[in-house]
Amino acid sequence: MAFTGRAALLAALGSVPIGIWDQGWTGILAINAPLAAACACDFALAAPVRRLGLTRSGDTSARLGDTADVTLTVSNPSNRPLRARVRDAWPPSSWQPGTETAASRHSLRVPAGERRRVTTRLRPTRRGDRQADRVTIRSYGPLGLFTRQGTHRVPWTVRVLPPFTSRKHLPSKLSRLRELDGRTSVLTRGEGTEFDSLREYVPGDDTRSIDWRATARQSTVAIRTWRPERDRHILLVLDTGRTSAGRVGDAPRLDASMDAALLLAALASRAGDRVDLLAHDRRVRALVQGPSAGDVLPSLVNTMAVLEPALVETDARALTATALRSAPRRSLVVLFTTLDAAPIEEGLLPVLPRLTQRHTVLLAAVADPHVAKMAQARGHAEAVYEAAAAAQAQSERRRTADQLRRHGVVVVDATPDELPPALADAYLELKAAGRL
């Protein structure tokens, strides 16, 4: 009868029956002295685990959905070669479900006095900081009969950033911004515009923009061109209260708001405007003020990465007071919050005049696309009831939006995919009309 692996070795050392193998090591060692000697030798030749030196290097950040490679360097200072299995433990959300075992476990051989590297590839499924847990190393002897095992703490943090999927809309919005900025012939005039240059009049131009003094000095009619003012202040306000925790599709509403805020920040910084960020529920969760144009996106992305919804009701009065302190002069305040009737009517509307008296206020709300699908459902009694409930919910949102518009608020209500470009368009329209 032929055996393989440890069973073959045991049989060769002392013709030990397989039944004794099943009874455990105690019985085997008591019966077979040569086997005991072999096991002791194997244990002695296994490289010690506690003396190993471990260090990390690699990625410290990654966008949600991308990969991050973290390298673990294992140094073997002993005079025995290391044959080991390594488990590099991280939080469960560091990998896609079902892939942790393959990604976190490595086979390793390190000759005496040398070092080797293994790389753990993370693919996080949530935003935020992912911190390395313990590194467990199991060192084998040359016969594989006994092992030494130990753990090491090797700190490392990978910050998982918002994915910023709406950046695909940025080129088209920048093209429209260039039109407003005077780089093409499509120039407008409004309260918030400034003189740019003179050009020859063409039919259709606003006659109020004719420069009569310049016209008198030349043979053609001269017209003034205008461009939107630069260096306007924009305050992005993220409501991180309980309503931001509601899931729309596969992500919380807060994540959809962040995506829209990042597109608006990228566009506004290219337009020469200053962008700040405030995240608030019952207290200030994050505040970014005064970043330079080149640092706007990195600062916002890094700050947003660790924001999570708080399961508390937002204090609208405190949020408004903080926004007013953060924007002491006239600004565009973009409030990312809900359009649910109760939080708006009981929380925001009573304090809204304090904001609208000093600032232009734009409210961006994330709509659930599933509600629109429910409103179209027909065919059986349950579907009709769902359609009625969805129609009622849509009607309440429209009524709430109308209340806000009567207070002078610009409202953008769209699904997660549609909100970023719709918000960017609303900003450009305000800029073209000179309302910033």
Side-chain angles (χ1 to χ4, degrees), residues 247 253 367-394 415:
R247 300 189 72 84
R253 279 189 169 89
D368 190 344
H370 184 63
V371 175
K373 292 181 180 179
M374 287 174 57
Q376 303 299 322
R378 297 293 187 274
H380 52 84
E382 183 178 349
V384 172
Y385 281 116
E386 289 182 354
Q392 182 178 3
Q394 291 175 328
T415 60

Side-chain angles (χ1 to χ4, degrees), residues 10 13 16-17 20-21 23-43 145-146:
L10 294 174
L13 287 172
V16 179
I20 297 180
W21 166 269
Q23 295 173 13
W25 287 105
T26 302
I28 294 174
L29 297 181
I31 295 174
N32 197 310
L35 177 60
C39 291
C41 181
D42 198 47
F43 179 77
L145 298 176
F146 266 96

Side-chain angles (χ1 to χ4, degrees), residues 316 320 335 337 343-353 355 363 404:
T320 301
L335 178 57
T337 188
I344 294 294
E345 294 175 357
E346 299 174 10
L348 184 60
L349 284 180
V351 298
L352 190 58
L355 276 178
L363 187 144
L404 291 168

Side-chain angles (χ1 to χ4, degrees), residues 111-123:
E114 297 187 17
R115 61 185 180 183
R116 293 291 186 270
R117 296 182 177 91
V118 293
T119 299
T120 300
R121 174 159 291 181
L122 311 179
R123 188 181 291 272

Side-chain angles (χ1 to χ4, degrees), residues 393-416:
Q394 291 175 328
S395 177
E396 289 180 355
R397 289 180 73 88
R398 286 192 294 267
R399 181 175 61 84
T400 304
D402 290 340
Q403 284 182 292
L404 291 168
R405 292 187 180 101
R406 286 195 292 270
H407 283 77
V409 178
V410 179
V411 178
V412 178
D413 182 22
T415 60

Side-chain angles (χ1 to χ4, degrees), residues 238 240 278-286 310 312-315 318-319 322:
L238 289 173
T240 56
L278 168 65
H280 195 287
D281 39 71
R282 287 192 174 276
R283 62 181 179 87
V284 176
R285 298 290 177 175
V312 296
E313 199 70 41
T314 299
D315 187 343
L319 184 150
T322 306

Side-chain angles (χ1 to χ4, degrees), residues 1-15 18 21:
M1 184 174 185
F3 305 109
T4 59
R6 291 188 181 90
L9 179 62
L10 294 174
L13 287 172
S15 301
I18 293 301
W21 166 269

